[in-house]
């Protein structure tokens, strides 16, 4: 097949393996974090929503009862999981930076809302995805993005980003909170709300549901242990005996299409 993006192939390979483990991941299914996100999406009855990089349909399952939901993801196995959780949703297998939807105009409205959760740090060019999200919603339509963020301090960010890439080969780069907000503005969106959150994850569960090279596992643990008791912007690590807990900071940015 022509024009295959090498990183997309890494994402497909990783998330084909991760589809089932991620669908049951505690942080992805945390009811408090999900409810915070759903509150900010504020889907109204009958609205049409597209979930970019939908993964296994965790968000779509909560939205499908109120409106028309489309799950868009580049990984076939993730969409199979989404079918189980959100059987009412329409499934579209596509790269999020090249969504196969027409542009919404004043007279032709494709979607009322575009959402994306825990995905931008897996794409090489997040601006392409946000531009697509803005493109497919109606003028005045909403875009709601939720992702983990990295430290504004470059040295701290470099350290924690190395951990993330060693752990998950599909990881590209976390944006800082300010970068995420600026990106939305640069893509023609007007920010209406920004909220923060913290997600705490058990190291063993965090590592078990991904598939890094075996040689990377002790390196990741050693780097985390070196961080124990320290807060490095987007990541904090606590250690008790043999247990390690990782707290990740995240942002939810709500915006509307400005034109």
């Amino acid at each position: 097949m022509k024009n295959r993006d090498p990183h997309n192939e890494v994402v497909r390979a990783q998330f084909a393996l991760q589809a089932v483990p991620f669908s049951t991941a505690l942080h992805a299914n945390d009811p408090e974090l999900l409810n915070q996100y759903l509150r900010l999406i504020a889907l109204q009855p009958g609205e049409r929503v597209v979930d970019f990089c939908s993964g296994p349909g965790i968000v779509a399952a909560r939205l499908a009862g109120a409106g028309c939901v489309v799950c868009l993801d580049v990984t076939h196995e993730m969409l199979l999981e989404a079918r189980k959780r959100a059987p009412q949703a329409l499934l579209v297998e596509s790269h999020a930076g090249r969504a196969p939807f027409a542009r919404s105009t004043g007279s032709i409205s494709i979607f009322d809302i575009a959402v994306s959760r825990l995905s931008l740090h897996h794409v090489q060019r997040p601006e392409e995805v946000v531009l697509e999200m803005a493109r497919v919603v109606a003028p005045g339509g909403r875009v709601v993005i939720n992702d983990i963020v990295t430290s504004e301090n470059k040295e701290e960010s470099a350290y924690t980003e190395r951990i993330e890439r060693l752990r998950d080969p599909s990881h590209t780069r976390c944006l800082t909170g300010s970068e995420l907000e600026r990106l939305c503005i640069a893509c023609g969106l007007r920010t209406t709300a920004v909220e923060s959150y913290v997600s705490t994850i058990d190291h063993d569960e965090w590592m078990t549901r991904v598939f890094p090279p075996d040689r990377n596992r002790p390196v990741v643990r050693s780097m985390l242990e070196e961080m124990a008791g320290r807060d490095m912007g987007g990541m904090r690590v606590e250690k008790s005996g043999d247990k390690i807990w990782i707290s990740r900071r995240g942002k939810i940015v709500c915006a509307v299409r400005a034109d």
Side-chain angles (χ1 to χ4, degrees), residues 12-214:
R12 284 190 181 96
Q14 280 296 311
F15 281 101
L17 296 171
Q18 294 181 34
V20 173
F22 186 84
S23 69
T24 58
L26 297 178
H27 80 292
N29 290 278
D30 184 301
E32 184 175 346
L33 298 180
L34 265 174
N35 288 336
Q36 179 186 21
Y37 189 45
L38 294 167
R39 172 176 54 80
L40 290 168
I41 293 171
L43 181 66
Q44 301 301 308
E47 287 189 316
R48 294 152 298 177
V49 56
V50 55
D51 187 354
F52 275 70
C53 309
S54 67
I58 293 169
V59 174
R62 299 286 298 273
L63 295 173
C68 173
V69 179
V70 173
C71 293
L72 182 147
D73 202 281
V74 76
T75 304
H76 181 71
E77 289 79 2
M78 280 292 191
L79 291 174
L80 293 180
E81 290 299 310
R83 169 60 68 215
K84 298 175 187 177
R85 286 165 182 76
Q88 313 96 313
L90 302 175
L91 308 182
V92 176
E93 188 172 332
S94 172
H95 184 283
R98 296 183 291 275
F101 308 122
R103 176 179 175 83
S104 285
T105 66
S107 58
I108 303 174
S109 175
I110 306 302
F111 296 105
D112 302 292
I113 312 171
V115 303
S116 177
R117 183 177 187 238
L118 302 175
S119 62
L120 289 186
H121 60 278
H122 291 291
V123 300
Q124 288 186 309
R125 292 174 289 279
E127 66 278 4
E128 289 184 352
V129 177
V130 180
L131 279 169
E132 285 293 86
M133 295 176 75
R135 181 181 70 81
V136 303
V137 297
R142 288 130 48 214
V143 171
V144 187
I145 299 172
N146 175 347
D147 204 10
I148 54 174
V149 295
T150 190
S151 174
E152 302 280 349
N153 179 290
K154 291 183 179 180
E155 290 184 1
E156 291 180 347
S157 178
Y159 190 89
T160 58
E161 286 295 284
R162 181 167 179 248
I163 291 172
E164 291 283 9
R165 284 189 289 270
L166 286 167
R167 171 186 170 263
D168 186 345
S170 70
H171 182 92
T172 53
R173 183 177 79 87
C174 289
L175 300 174
T176 68
S178 62
E179 281 182 304
L180 181 56
E181 293 183 53
R182 289 197 300 270
L183 176 59
C184 289
I185 294 169
C187 291
L189 299 168
R190 177 173 56 81
T191 302
T192 57
V194 178
E195 290 194 10
S196 301
Y197 64 91
V198 176
S199 176
T200 301
I201 310 164
D202 172 73
H203 164 271
D204 294 342
E205 189 264 342
W206 192 58
M207 293 298 294
T208 298
R209 61 181 160 81
V210 296
F211 298 86
D214 287 342

